[in-house]
């Protein structure tokens, strides 16, 4: 088979010095108003505390934007420790997600469990590096990138912080429908629902003691539905219109821990599916009940019984907003 590799980044002082934790596509127009609407950049985060933005048009030779997250950026009220923190201690990032309406607003999770909202417009522009051929390499594509001598100053990219998890956060997921909602899945065995506008979580879900959540994912078609993968191999589905504590459906997907799940796009495929990957890297596709993919709202029938009626996603989103109103401080 032909080599499918198209582009590859080059190691330098600019790039990550620790394993890359997560990648995300972002519209190029956020950081460059002259770019076309169909152009995208790549955003990467790492355990070294760096957040980088890469241009495809520059062949991933070097990042164009950079910021750092440090421990001293976390407010004392969030750290819960009233001691001075030495400046410059990197805060390892674990995952990233951005608002469905504001692509420049990023939610970042970290290894110690801290969560912050950052803005791409706070990132620093990197100067163009010196690029030379590596004369000692037999591969003509190998390059040496030298960082300019001037010191690159970055500012605190965060403009809002949230009450932390106790321990590393596995993943973070912004709602594809609501501009201010996001879910987090932590190693403290909780899944939390936050609003961009409130420090404390709206809802904390503590699944049954027999399992610990490993990944969380919003539905692409129902604003109030999400799924949680677990270390016991099951996938649990929740509908916030019915209950935030009791799952409405369970799939016994594997005997191994689930490491990734995703819903298919119902606007492309009329049949609802979910894909799961377990710890043995076994991928499975599951056909879902239509209830999990068709938007519903709770109504009263002629006998005053509560029933679920199909509707459109905008109406379900409106109902979800009303349900969560009393959760705000």
């Amino acid at each position: 088979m032909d080599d499918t590799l198209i582009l590859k980044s080059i190691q330098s002082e600019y790039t990550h010095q620790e394993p890359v934790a997560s990648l995300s596509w972002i519209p190029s127009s956020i950081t460059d108003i002259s770019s076309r609407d169909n152009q995208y950049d790549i955003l990467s985060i790492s355990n070294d505390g760096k957040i980088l933005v890469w241009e495809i048009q520059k062949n991933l030779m070097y990042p164009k934007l950079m910021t750092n997250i440090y421990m001293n950026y976390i407010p004392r009220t969030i750290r819960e420790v009233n001691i001075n923190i030495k400046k410059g201690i990197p805060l390892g990032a674990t995952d990233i997600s951005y608002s469905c309406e504001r692509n420049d607003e990023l939610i970042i999770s970290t290894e110690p469990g801290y969560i912050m909202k950052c803005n791409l417009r706070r990132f620093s522009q990197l100067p163009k590096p010196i690029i030379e051929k590596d004369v000692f390499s037999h591969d003509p594509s190998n390059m040496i990138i030298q960082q300019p001598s001037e010191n690159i100053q970055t500012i605190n990219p965060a403009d809002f912080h949230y009450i932390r998890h106790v321990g590393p956060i596995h993943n973070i997921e912004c709602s594809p429908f609501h501009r201010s909602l996001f879910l987090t899945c932590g190693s403290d065995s909780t899944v939390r629902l936050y609003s961009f506008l409130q420090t404390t979580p709206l809802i904390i879900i503590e699944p049954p003691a027999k399992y610990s959540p490993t990944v969380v994912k919003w539905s692409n078609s129902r604003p109030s539905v999400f799924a949680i993968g677990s270390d016991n191999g099951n996938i649990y589905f929740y509908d916030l219109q019915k209950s935030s504590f009791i799952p409405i459906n369970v799939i016994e997907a594997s005997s191994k821990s689930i490491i990734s799940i995703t819903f298919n796009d119902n606007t492309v495929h009329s049949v609802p599916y979910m894909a799961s990957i377990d710890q043995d890297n076994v991928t499975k596709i599951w056909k879902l009940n239509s209830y999990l993919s068709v938007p519903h709202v709770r109504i009263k029938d002629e006998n005053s019984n509560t029933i679920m009626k199909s509707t459109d996603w905008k109406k379900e989103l409106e109902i979800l907003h009303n349900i969560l109103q009393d959760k705000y401080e």
Side-chain angles (χ1 to χ4, degrees):
M1 295 178 65
D2 294 334
D3 189 355
T4 56
L5 178 65
I6 299 173
L7 298 172
K8 183 176 69 172
S9 64
I10 300 171
Q11 190 74 17
S12 71
E13 293 180 61
Y14 277 86
T15 60
H16 297 296
Q17 308 302 313
E18 297 288 340
V20 174
S22 183
L23 298 171
S24 181
W25 293 100
I26 59 170
S28 302
S29 56
I30 297 175
T31 56
D32 184 1
I33 59 175
S34 64
S35 63
R36 297 193 301 270
D37 290 340
N38 61 346
Q39 286 184 338
Y40 283 80
D41 295 333
I42 293 177
L43 188 145
S44 63
I45 61 173
S46 170
N47 304 139
D48 60 8
K50 283 184 183 178
I51 309 174
L52 304 175
V53 176
W54 307 76
E55 278 187 291
I56 300 296
Q57 287 71 26
K58 297 288 177 63
N59 296 325
L60 301 184
M61 292 288 286
Y62 55 90
K64 70 172 183 178
L65 298 175
M66 181 184 78
T67 193
N68 293 284
I69 48 177
Y70 297 117
M71 192 68 186
N72 58 287
Y73 288 169
I74 306 298
R76 289 192 178 189
T77 53
I78 300 296
R79 289 204 308 261
E80 300 174 350
V81 179
N82 193 23
I83 59 173
N84 291 323
I85 300 294
K86 185 179 179 181
K87 292 183 178 180
I89 299 176
L91 199 56
T94 59
D95 201 11
I96 191 165
S97 187
Y98 54 82
S99 168
C100 61
E101 291 188 13
R102 291 286 305 273
N103 295 146
D104 60 336
E105 291 186 338
L106 311 170
I107 301 294
I108 296 174
S109 58
T110 63
E111 288 181 324
Y114 298 112
I115 309 163
M116 62 191 74
K117 179 166 71 71
C118 299
N119 197 301
L120 269 172
R121 305 190 190 281
R122 290 172 174 250
F123 285 33
S124 300
Q125 189 82 33
L126 289 173
K128 187 176 180 180
I130 302 169
I131 304 175
E132 300 175 347
K133 292 279 187 181
D134 186 355
V135 296
F136 296 102
S137 174
H138 297 293
D139 186 349
S141 65
N142 281 357
M143 302 284 183
I144 297 176
I145 295 182
Q146 297 181 0
Q147 188 171 340
S149 57
E150 63 261 32
N151 188 27
I152 300 170
Q153 298 293 329
T154 62
I155 62 172
N156 183 355
D159 54 23
F160 205 84
H161 295 264
Y162 305 90
I163 297 298
R164 58 174 291 200
H165 281 263
V166 181
I169 296 173
H170 298 311
N171 85 300
I172 196 163
E173 175 89 352
C174 288
S175 168
F177 297 100
H178 196 296
R179 64 182 179 181
S180 299
L181 293 180
F182 65 93
L183 289 163
T184 61
C185 177
S187 59
D188 56 2
S189 297
T190 66
V191 170
R192 302 184 181 191
L193 176 66
Y194 290 87
S195 166
F196 275 38
L197 309 175
Q198 181 172 305
T199 299
T200 56
L202 302 177
I203 297 172
I204 298 178
I205 302 170
E206 298 186 26
K210 292 184 179 180
Y211 83 91
S212 179
T214 54
V215 61
V216 65
K217 193 75 175 178
W218 285 103
S219 165
N220 290 326
S221 55
R222 290 204 52 196
S224 61
V225 170
F226 59 90
I228 299 174
S230 66
D231 61 358
N232 68 355
N234 289 352
I235 303 170
Y236 299 84
F237 296 85
Y238 288 79
D239 183 350
L240 293 174
Q241 288 193 74
K242 287 193 170 184
S243 173
S244 58
F245 305 104
I246 302 173
I248 59 171
N249 200 3
V250 180
I251 294 177
E252 296 180 359
S254 174
S255 60
K256 302 291 185 179
S257 177
I258 301 297
I259 61 173
S260 184
I261 54 176
T262 189
F263 291 85
N264 73 323
D265 188 347
N266 279 26
T267 61
V268 178
H269 305 282
S270 58
V271 180
Y273 292 106
M274 164 164 278
S276 66
I277 302 177
D278 66 19
Q279 203 168 30
D280 288 341
N281 292 322
V282 176
T283 302
K284 296 178 181 178
I285 309 295
W286 306 91
K287 185 177 179 180
L288 302 180
N289 187 299
S290 61
Y291 174 80
L292 292 170
S293 62
V294 178
H296 285 72
V297 292
R298 298 180 70 177
I299 63 170
K300 298 284 187 179
D301 63 12
E302 60 272 15
N303 298 320
S304 297
N305 296 319
T306 301
I307 62 172
M308 300 299 290
K309 182 181 178 181
S310 60
T311 183
D312 59 65
W313 69 266
K314 291 183 180 179
K315 184 62 177 176
E316 181 174 326
L317 181 61
E318 181 183 335
I319 298 298
L320 175 63
H321 180 77
N322 293 335
I323 292 172
L324 295 175
Q325 275 296 97
D326 63 343
K327 303 291 184 182
Y328 288 89
E329 294 180 343

